[in-house]
């Protein structure tokens, strides 16, 4: 039978590059690839995901986030994460909603772009590391702390839907290879608004559209519009720490 695989998809560089590589793999082995995007109506992630899915010519499913959906999912997600930190909850909700779509399509495995920012220097704070000359050290520290900071959270949220997350960017051989690439291939100057230049160049050369390969990074919880709903609506009348149980 056909192997089906889901991709947690924002239309940004990391998830689009993975989808592109999966597409190349599917030329040789039977693989059905489906993309899953999460976002509030009109959010940047949803627009980018639609654009990128058309470019890649892959099926896209979108979960439209509403205040009501977040209120329903919050108790379960906060409890699973074991933390009421807003940023973690925002990203956790994204993972939860995406893997819930994957599970409903009876797909067991979802691919995620987690790790690309830590590995290739995607976050804005790495500009300071670059200036201080500590970039490679800071990337290594973040990679070694990643499990507690991000992966545990995502794993807990996908497990609520019995979906297994696979993270190609955290492949051991790749991590060892990339951590040894010089700093200035990852960030090119203190004014490098794009960052991750090495990965962008690779993706572009592999055939990703310029518009996607060089799309500036938006943090997941902002790009999806979840953070805004949490702050503006839900926190007004809800103390989410009550869900920690």
């Amino acid at each position: 039978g056909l192997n089906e695989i889901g991709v947690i998809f924002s239309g940004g560089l990391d998830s689009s590059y993975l989808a592109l590589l999966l597409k190349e793999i599917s030329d040789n082995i039977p693989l059905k690839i489906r993309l899953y995007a999460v976002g509030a109506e009109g959010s940047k992630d949803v627009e980018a995901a639609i654009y990128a899915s058309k470019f890649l010519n892959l099926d896209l499913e979108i979960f439209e986030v509403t205040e009501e959906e977040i209120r329903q999912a919050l108790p379960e997600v906060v409890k699973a994460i074991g933390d009421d930190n807003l940023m973690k909850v925002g990203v956790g909700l994204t993972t939860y909603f995406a893997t819930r779509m994957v599970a409903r399509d009876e797909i067991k495995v979802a691919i995620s772009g987690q790790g690309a920012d830590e590995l290739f220097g995607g976050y804005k704070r790495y500009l300071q590391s670059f200036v201080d000359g500590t970039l490679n050290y800071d990337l290594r520290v973040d990679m070694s702390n990643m499990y507690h900071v991000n992966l545990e959270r995502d794993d807990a949220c996908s497990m609520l839907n019995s979906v297994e997350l696979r993270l190609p960017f955290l492949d051991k051989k790749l991590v060892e290879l990339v951590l040894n690439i010089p700093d200035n291939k990852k960030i090119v100057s203190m004014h490098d608004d794009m960052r991750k230049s090495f990965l962008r160049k690779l993706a572009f050369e592999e055939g990703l559209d310029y518009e996607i390969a060089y799309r500036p990074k938006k943090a997941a919880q902002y790009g999806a519009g979840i953070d805004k709903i949490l702050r503006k609506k839900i926190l007004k009348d809800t103390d989410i720490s009550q869900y920690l149980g």
Side-chain angles (χ1 to χ4, degrees), residues 29-197:
I29 61 167
L31 197 58
K32 173 114 176 69
I33 305 155
R34 305 185 74 134
L35 311 175
Y36 295 88
V38 172
E41 193 182 356
S43 70
K44 288 279 174 269
D45 272 13
V46 170
E47 286 171 18
I50 291 168
Y51 177 89
S53 69
K54 285 182 177 154
F55 173 78
L56 292 161
N57 195 18
L58 290 170
D59 291 339
L60 172 69
E61 254 179 78
I62 298 168
F63 177 78
E64 193 179 300
V65 176
T66 61
E67 180 187 348
E68 191 43 48
E69 286 283 2
I70 291 179
R71 283 189 189 276
Q72 278 177 13
L74 258 177
E76 211 183 347
V77 168
V78 171
K79 191 171 175 229
I81 298 172
D83 198 329
D84 58 3
N85 170 303
L86 259 201
M87 199 192 100
K88 285 189 183 179
V89 172
V91 185
L93 283 163
T94 309
T95 304
Y96 173 77
F97 290 135
T99 50
R100 194 171 73 179
M101 284 190 282
V102 172
R104 285 176 180 171
D105 285 344
E106 295 181 0
I107 296 176
K108 296 278 174 255
V109 173
I111 298 274
S112 157
Q114 268 287 15
D117 287 310
E118 287 83 356
L119 197 51
F120 291 93
Y123 295 123
K124 199 167 185 171
R125 65 171 185 267
Y126 292 140
L127 284 177
Q128 191 56 51
S129 303
F130 177 82
V131 173
D132 296 342
T134 58
L135 181 61
N136 248 343
Y137 176 78
D138 292 344
L139 293 179
R140 283 170 192 273
V141 170
D142 286 351
M143 286 298 292
S144 57
N145 291 333
M146 228 188 130
Y147 181 73
H148 300 297
V149 181
N150 296 351
L151 306 183
E152 249 174 338
R153 171 200 64 209
D154 288 343
D155 193 47
C157 294
S158 57
M159 275 298 129
L160 289 171
N161 297 310
S162 307
V163 169
E164 193 189 327
L165 277 188
R166 299 269 169 88
L167 313 169
F169 284 114
L170 295 180
D171 177 83
K172 197 165 176 298
K173 286 199 175 99
L174 183 69
V175 169
E176 284 169 3
L177 179 76
V178 176
L179 283 177
N180 287 309
I181 291 171
D183 286 8
N184 59 7
K185 293 270 196 296
K186 293 167 189 165
I187 292 180
V188 293
S189 82
M190 61 187 284
H191 306 295
D192 185 355
D193 285 337
M194 288 291 173
R195 301 178 296 284
K196 280 199 287 202
S197 49

